[in-house]
Amino acid sequence: MQPGRNRDRHRGVRRDSGSGATERDEQFHAFVVSRRPRLLHTATLLTAGDTHLAEDLVQAALTKLYVAWPAFKRADNPDGYVRRVLVNALIDEKRRIWRRREQTMAVLPDVAGDTPSGAGPAGEAVKQALRELPPRMRAAVVFRYFYDLDVAATADALSCSEGNVKSQTARGLDRLRAALHQAQPTFLSQGATP
Amino acid sequence: MNDLRDHFEEIAGPMHAVDSKQVEADLTRGRRALRRRRTVQAVAGSAFGVAALAAAIAVATSSTEAPSERVTAGAPAVQLVAYQGEQPKGFTVDKVPDGWYIQASEQGYLTVAPKGAGTDDSFVGKIAIMLESKDQSGPGREGKTVKVGDTEGLLVESLSEPDASGDRGSSLWIKQPSGVYLIVQVWQGLGLTEAQIVELAAGVHVHKDAVQGVG
């Protein structure tokens, strides 16, 4: 940045002129290149393996981030900011209702290609149980159990109390372990050799 | 493989390298959303903010309209009229905005959309009518109590924070005799007044075929 150009800056981001690449564009571009794969990975877990919805969440989150880029750049905890945006997209009521449309049928559609090979019956049981958790509970389990976030960081991501995180995580894990436990006999009877 | 963490790894799948086209598409979406937001903010801040905003949105959501059909300052952007078409199964409606149609009708929801609305699964730019999810238990946030026909409803903002385009939307929650709430969700910027949302909701009838979703 050249001396004397600071008047063109607004809270850390150059004002957009309406055409051409701006500093916001450049920073956002670099952010997407470096962070998108990880974001999609997290979103896939938050959606219990629904890769289409995960992509939808990432797109919504990135759009929100671009619009609020100055606030994101000012954030004390950028990673926490991104997690909050992602969780908000997950529990966004419109999106949730949109999602319900696909789940009101008696039999869930085939999700071939949605499941990595080798997951097996136990993996399917866990995925189904994860999918049946309410979104906040699912997010609490994913952040606490899989990403090893502490209670405070998870509470920040979910915009709820730490006590709520603890109870949601415990209940979620109980349900998942129960599903896994129930799937074990099936798993054994379908191919495991004593 | 017995450990939950291993199963989570399976569910998450491998991380793939980012595609340059994806990055460009993300950037395009962001810039478009920012432009929308600035347009709304600029219009809302003008002396004729409310009326002009309704007019701008009416134009934006129906670019094929003839000029004479555009909303005029001070008048509602849409007019409710008696619905004459075939009634949906789970829900029936007495009134819809003039010129709109029932785009999708399922046991779990129906959407009322203006002409030219996309046929995708999004509820963007439409009215969605549904029962609350099995995972929900009421509005869950503060709202305005309104009289809906012979009963009461709670009018709340659909989103606690505006989305990328600055939209909060409105949802009217009406408790049914079964204890389950009926939700009439109206995308912000459609031009319906609060009274029209209530009037439309008062004409929604829930039938035994209607089902709750999950999630």
Side-chain angles (χ1 to χ4, degrees):
Chain A
M1 180 64 63
Q2 298 171 8
R5 292 286 302 277
N6 283 346
R7 70 170 67 94
D8 294 332
R9 294 172 64 84
H10 177 66
R11 291 178 178 172
V13 176
R14 194 171 65 216
R15 287 182 187 278
D16 297 332
S17 62
S19 64
T22 64
E23 189 173 342
R24 180 195 302 240
D25 288 354
E26 292 160 10
Q27 293 174 352
F28 180 78
H29 190 281
F31 174 85
V32 174
V33 168
S34 66
R35 297 289 299 277
R36 202 181 204 284
R38 188 71 175 169
L39 270 177
L40 189 58
H41 193 258
T42 305
T44 304
L45 268 176
L46 291 177
T47 58
D50 186 331
T51 52
H52 299 293
L53 184 57
E55 174 63 30
D56 190 41
L57 287 192
V58 169
Q59 289 181 12
L62 288 174
T63 301
K64 182 75 180 283
L65 279 176
Y66 182 89
V67 171
W69 196 252
F72 169 61
K73 296 298 289 182
R74 288 197 307 271
D76 295 333
N77 179 1
D79 288 339
Y81 192 101
V82 173
R83 280 193 291 269
R84 274 200 304 279
V85 171
L86 203 54
V87 170
N88 282 341
L90 177 71
I91 61 179
D92 178 321
E93 186 169 356
K94 285 174 184 168
R95 192 170 301 281
R96 233 153 47 86
I97 289 171
W98 178 88
R99 187 64 193 146
R100 278 175 52 203
R101 301 178 56 179
E102 297 182 343
Q103 298 188 351
T104 49
M105 57 190 72
V107 179
L108 286 173
D110 184 12
V111 289
D114 210 18
T115 309
S117 60
E124 277 302 306
V126 171
K127 184 159 81 170
Q128 185 60 35
L130 188 63
R131 191 163 287 185
E132 289 172 359
L133 296 183
R136 278 183 186 280
M137 185 180 291
R138 195 186 313 137
V141 169
V142 167
F143 287 136
R144 284 285 292 135
Y145 182 76
F146 187 72
Y147 287 113
D148 292 326
L149 286 190
D150 62 26
V151 174
T154 305
D156 180 57
L158 271 60
S159 304
C160 68
S161 69
E162 294 187 11
N164 192 248
V165 167
K166 291 176 184 174
S167 63
Q168 295 268 320
T169 307
R171 285 161 56 199
L173 283 175
D174 282 349
R175 289 200 209 175
L176 294 176
R177 286 180 177 131
L180 185 59
H181 180 72
Q182 285 182 349
Q184 294 308 315
T186 306
F187 177 64
L188 291 173
S189 67
Q190 287 185 352
T193 304
Chain B
M1 186 189 297
N2 295 328
D3 187 62
L4 272 178
R5 191 179 293 269
D6 294 332
H7 290 302
F8 275 35
E9 289 278 10
E10 287 281 354
I11 292 168
M15 272 193 268
H16 300 286
V18 67
D19 185 286
S20 61
K21 288 181 181 174
Q22 282 178 323
V23 182
E24 289 307 315
D26 290 330
L27 188 56
T28 300
R29 273 187 292 271
R31 297 184 74 172
R32 193 182 300 141
L34 186 61
R35 275 199 303 274
R36 266 201 310 270
R37 183 177 217 191
R38 286 176 174 170
T39 301
V40 170
Q41 285 173 339
V43 174
S46 71
F48 301 99
V50 175
L53 181 61
I57 288 166
V59 172
T61 55
S62 182
S63 58
T64 57
E65 277 184 337
S68 60
E69 293 177 293
R70 290 178 188 164
V71 67
T72 53
V78 297
Q79 299 291 333
L80 295 184
V81 297
Y83 178 64
Q84 305 288 347
E86 185 180 349
Q87 288 286 2
K89 291 179 181 176
F91 310 85
T92 53
V93 292
D94 293 343
K95 292 186 176 181
V96 296
D98 191 13
W100 292 36
Y101 69 108
I102 291 183
Q103 185 186 47
S105 170
E106 303 289 342
Q107 288 181 310
Y109 67 91
L110 72 86
T111 53
V112 185
K115 287 176 184 172
T119 54
D120 56 66
D121 290 333
S122 173
F123 284 5
V124 175
K126 302 168 192 173
I127 297 169
I129 296 169
M130 70 213 86
L131 294 177
E132 67 174 330
S133 159
K134 289 178 179 174
D135 296 316
Q136 290 177 299
S137 54
R141 68 180 58 152
E142 300 283 318
K144 178 181 179 182
T145 301
V146 293
K147 186 81 173 170
V148 184
D150 297 330
T151 186
E152 281 189 344
L154 191 69
L155 190 62
V156 303
E157 291 178 330
S158 293
L159 302 174
S160 56
E161 294 181 12
D163 66 10
S165 59
D167 189 356
R168 286 179 187 271
S170 299
S171 293
L172 181 54
W173 293 65
I174 307 157
K175 199 168 192 174
Q176 301 299 292
S178 63
V180 174
Y181 280 87
L182 166 71
I183 305 172
V184 176
Q185 176 184 278
V186 181
W187 200 264
Q188 186 175 320
L190 291 181
L192 270 75
T193 64
E194 187 177 301
Q196 286 178 315
I197 294 173
V198 171
E199 183 182 354
L200 186 145
V204 175
H205 308 283
V206 182
H207 298 280
K208 58 181 175 55
D209 292 339
V211 298
Q212 289 177 268
V214 295

